[in-house]
């Protein structure tokens, strides 16, 4: 839990994850250190590129603090990194060389939120800033961030330098369990409401709309009811 590059079984854990997800042994991801990869779906003019980052394998250490409410004793780690040099170079190429109409960047930990005390990119502000700069420098406006891990669901939005339109993050976690009660968790970048009900996420793409319309939706796992939605226009 909350492990980084110091975890002694990270290689074995990565392999078990790939096996569980049925990643073919011939896939290039097996030949790299870490568990990052990408997939492109769809035909020309209607392509979606899913970029899955590894935010643990190369992540610098955080010293845990017990008991609560503090989670760590050395945050923010201003000098720390999350992706590692090889993965940064890979991500840059994946964005710059893409002809997809939509890019979904998945991270196991939240990227935009910075107020809560748990694991997040904001614990490493230089790495977070570098990620935003990488996205902006790629020239790809059509980017949505995806994250989980938090036992809650929410939408976050912020403007970043060099990107014309706001950057959105869809945090969807809590398919089987959640915090169970409202914690009043602060998120200065949240748009909409904090969802603590067990839920799942769905992204609907309207390929007939110009510009492209993408709608992020949260649904209840108990009755299938739509809990929240947020439309992004590219």
């Amino acid at each position: 839990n909350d492990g980084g590059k110091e975890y002694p079984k990270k290689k074995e854990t990565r392999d078990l994850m790939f096996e569980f997800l049925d990643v073919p042994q011939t896939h290039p991801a097996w030949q790299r250190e870490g568990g990052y990869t990408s997939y492109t779906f769809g035909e020309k003019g209607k392509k979606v590129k899913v970029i899955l980052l590894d935010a643990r394998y190369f992540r610098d250490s955080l010293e845990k603090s017990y008991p609560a409410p503090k989670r760590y004793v050395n945050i923010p780690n201003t000098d720390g990194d999350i992706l590692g040099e090889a993965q940064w170079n890979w991500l840059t190429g994946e964005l710059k060389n893409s002809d997809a109409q939509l890019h979904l960047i998945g991270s196991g930990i939240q990227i935009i939120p910075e107020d809560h005390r748990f694991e997040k990119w904001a614990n490493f502000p230089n790495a977070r800033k570098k990620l935003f700069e990488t996205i902006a420098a790629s020239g790809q406006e059509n980017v949505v961030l995806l994250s989980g891990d938090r036992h809650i669901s929410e939408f976050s939005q912020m403007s970043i330098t060099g990107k014309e339109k706001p950057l959105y993050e869809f945090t969807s976690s809590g398919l089987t369990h959640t915090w169970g009660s409202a914690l009043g968790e602060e998120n200065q970048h949240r748009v909409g409401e904090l969802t603590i009900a067990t839920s799942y996420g769905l992204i609907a793409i309207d390929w007939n709309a110009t510009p492209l319309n993408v709608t992020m939706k949260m649904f209840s796992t108990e009755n299938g009811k739509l809990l929240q939605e947020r439309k992004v226009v590219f």
Side-chain angles (χ1 to χ4, degrees):
N1 185 38
D2 294 5
K5 67 181 183 182
E6 76 284 352
Y7 180 55
K9 296 288 186 180
K10 61 182 181 180
K11 175 64 166 60
E12 293 86 348
T13 304
R14 193 288 305 263
D15 292 352
L16 287 170
M17 180 184 73
F18 280 177
E19 291 173 3
F20 176 78
L21 296 174
D22 291 328
V23 179
Q25 289 282 346
T26 55
H27 195 284
W30 280 96
Q31 308 307 315
R32 296 191 288 258
E33 283 289 309
Y36 56 95
T37 191
S38 70
Y39 300 92
T40 300
F41 304 94
E43 60 192 37
K44 184 177 180 180
K46 297 181 179 181
K47 288 185 179 181
V48 177
K49 188 166 194 175
V50 180
I51 299 173
L52 303 176
L53 302 178
D54 186 337
R56 291 283 181 83
Y57 200 97
F58 306 98
R59 198 208 72 192
D60 285 323
S61 300
L62 289 171
E63 183 180 350
K64 294 181 181 180
S65 173
Y66 294 101
K70 291 184 67 176
R71 189 76 169 188
Y72 307 103
V73 297
N74 66 334
I75 59 171
N77 185 341
T78 55
D79 297 324
D81 190 22
I82 292 181
L83 298 187
E85 183 178 1
Q87 189 175 185
W88 279 117
N89 292 336
W90 171 85
L91 174 60
T92 298
E94 289 294 309
L95 287 170
K96 283 190 174 181
N97 301 324
S98 175
D99 64 349
Q101 283 64 56
L102 177 64
H103 298 82
L104 305 177
I105 301 180
S107 166
I109 59 176
Q110 286 187 308
I111 299 171
I112 290 179
E114 54 185 315
D115 301 304
H116 64 74
R117 61 187 174 90
F118 302 101
E119 193 176 18
K120 58 189 182 296
W121 274 73
N123 291 343
F124 301 89
N126 283 352
R128 180 172 176 265
K129 180 174 180 286
K130 183 175 181 178
L131 179 62
F132 295 153
E133 290 173 344
T134 300
I135 292 172
S138 73
Q140 302 288 3
E141 283 288 337
N142 48 356
V143 175
V144 173
L145 306 176
L146 304 178
S147 61
D149 185 49
R150 291 301 328 289
H151 317 295
I152 58 167
S153 295
E154 62 182 352
F155 303 122
S156 300
Q157 171 191 331
M158 71 178 293
S159 297
I160 63 173
T161 302
K163 192 175 184 299
E164 179 181 347
K165 297 181 179 179
L167 185 63
Y168 282 89
E169 179 173 344
F170 185 1
T171 300
S172 178
S173 56
L175 185 64
T176 58
H177 64 283
T178 70
W179 282 120
S181 60
L183 300 177
E185 180 177 309
E186 188 176 347
N187 176 5
Q188 61 184 292
H189 304 292
R190 182 183 300 128
V191 287
E193 303 295 326
L194 175 67
T195 295
I196 60 170
T198 53
S199 63
Y200 64 92
L202 181 146
I203 294 179
I205 306 168
D206 185 355
W207 292 113
N208 295 319
T210 303
L212 182 67
N213 286 356
V214 175
T215 305
M216 306 175 291
K217 302 181 179 184
M218 298 177 196
F219 290 92
S220 167
T221 60
E222 296 183 0
N223 56 24
K225 179 182 177 181
L226 177 65
L227 301 175
Q228 283 193 80
E229 66 178 0
R230 178 68 49 172
K231 180 179 287 187
V232 182
V233 178
F234 292 108

